[in-house]
Amino acid sequence: MIRALPLSTRAYEQLRDAILGGELRPGEPLFEIHLAKSLGMSRTPVREALQSLASEGYLDELPDRGYVIPRRSLDDLREFFELREVLEAAASRYAAMRARPEEIAELQVVCDQYEGEQDLARWQQLGAQFHALITRASRNDRLASLMASLTTQIDLSRRSVIYGGPAWRETAVQDHRAICAAITARDEAAAHAAAADHVRHSYQATLRGYQPEAFASQKTA
């Protein structure tokens, strides 16, 4: 028998999906009384969900007991991607050094699925799974802990990657192929370089989502 999820868990998942899906916008104030009404729940599970989302960085708490989705400045993005580049490049290098044969086989399967997936949401899930496999195979618990602390920022920034369009998708697939091939070959330097390239490409795609007019002007210049 499948047990129903607690109301607070349901509220958490629905609100997180709404944040990541862009239904709730950065800077928009959120109040538990209004959310409880829209979700068809009492205020208690909604309050618990909001507190969890705030503790994970999805929301900032307001002085008047409401919450707001934080805005990401361009400097925030730059700093985040600089740190992400260091961590993911290191994780890929260590995975090339330490991954078990079965982990490499699993990475190859996920890489194939990522390349063939047409549904955007599922494609993004597979991308996250790919990087999680690499982090696990790095056998570095402290590195994994640092990566986990950035999960929220990664999720939030990826909302903008969809604006990269088909060109970004093809680049991401090629990047994953390069990372997977380097890890399979146990080539630590190539894995490090391929992962760093991938993060830089992701950063450019994210900037297109935040500043599409700037990139459009570059093309016509």
Side-chain angles (χ1 to χ4, degrees):
M1 180 178 178
I2 300 176
R3 301 178 64 179
L5 290 174
L7 285 178
S8 59
T9 301
R10 285 172 48 196
Y12 170 89
E13 291 181 348
Q14 289 181 52
L15 290 172
R16 183 192 60 191
D17 290 346
I19 292 170
L20 295 178
E23 297 172 40
L24 298 174
R25 310 294 294 178
E28 179 180 349
L30 306 175
F31 298 97
E32 64 182 56
I33 187 169
H34 301 139
L35 293 171
K37 183 177 181 180
S38 66
L39 295 174
M41 301 179 183
S42 68
R43 294 175 63 175
T44 299
V46 173
R47 181 183 308 121
E48 293 173 358
L50 289 170
Q51 290 170 347
S52 295
L53 289 165
S55 70
E56 294 174 7
Y58 287 99
L59 299 173
D60 288 339
E61 191 166 2
L62 298 171
D64 54 359
R65 304 183 67 82
Y67 294 85
V68 65
I69 302 170
R71 296 183 185 274
R72 294 289 187 262
S73 71
L74 292 178
D75 281 340
D76 290 332
L77 285 175
R78 176 184 54 78
E79 292 177 4
F80 164 67
F81 276 97
E82 286 175 350
L83 181 56
R84 182 181 164 196
E85 180 180 333
V86 172
L87 294 176
E88 291 203 12
S92 295
R93 177 189 172 196
Y94 296 135
M97 183 189 308
R98 300 168 181 153
R100 296 166 180 157
E102 62 271 20
E103 290 174 327
I104 290 178
E106 185 177 2
L107 192 67
Q108 291 169 339
V109 169
V110 173
C111 193
D112 289 340
Q113 293 174 336
Y114 183 77
E115 182 172 1
E117 183 59 56
Q118 298 302 312
D119 179 77
L120 178 60
R122 176 59 180 158
W123 185 71
Q124 291 177 315
Q125 290 172 359
L126 287 167
Q129 184 180 350
F130 179 84
H131 292 290
L133 286 170
I134 291 173
T135 302
R136 187 180 72 195
S138 73
R139 299 286 181 279
N140 188 312
D141 290 342
R142 288 178 173 81
L143 189 154
S145 178
L146 288 170
M147 287 294 295
S149 71
L150 291 173
T151 296
T152 299
Q153 287 85 347
I154 292 171
D155 289 343
L156 288 172
S157 73
R158 279 180 176 157
R159 291 180 306 164
S160 299
V161 170
I162 62 174
Y163 296 110
W168 159 243
R169 178 187 173 91
E170 181 59 30
T171 298
V173 167
Q174 291 176 1
D175 287 349
H176 278 211
R177 280 289 177 201
I179 296 168
C180 186
I183 292 174
T184 300
R186 304 291 186 182
D187 189 332
E188 299 169 30
H192 186 280
D197 284 345
H198 177 53
V199 175
R200 287 192 288 268
H201 295 156
S202 179
Y203 178 47
Q204 291 299 313
T206 301
L207 286 179
R208 287 186 179 90
Y210 276 78
Q211 294 184 304
E213 67 286 347
F215 284 87
S217 63
Q218 289 178 11
K219 290 181 179 180
T220 58

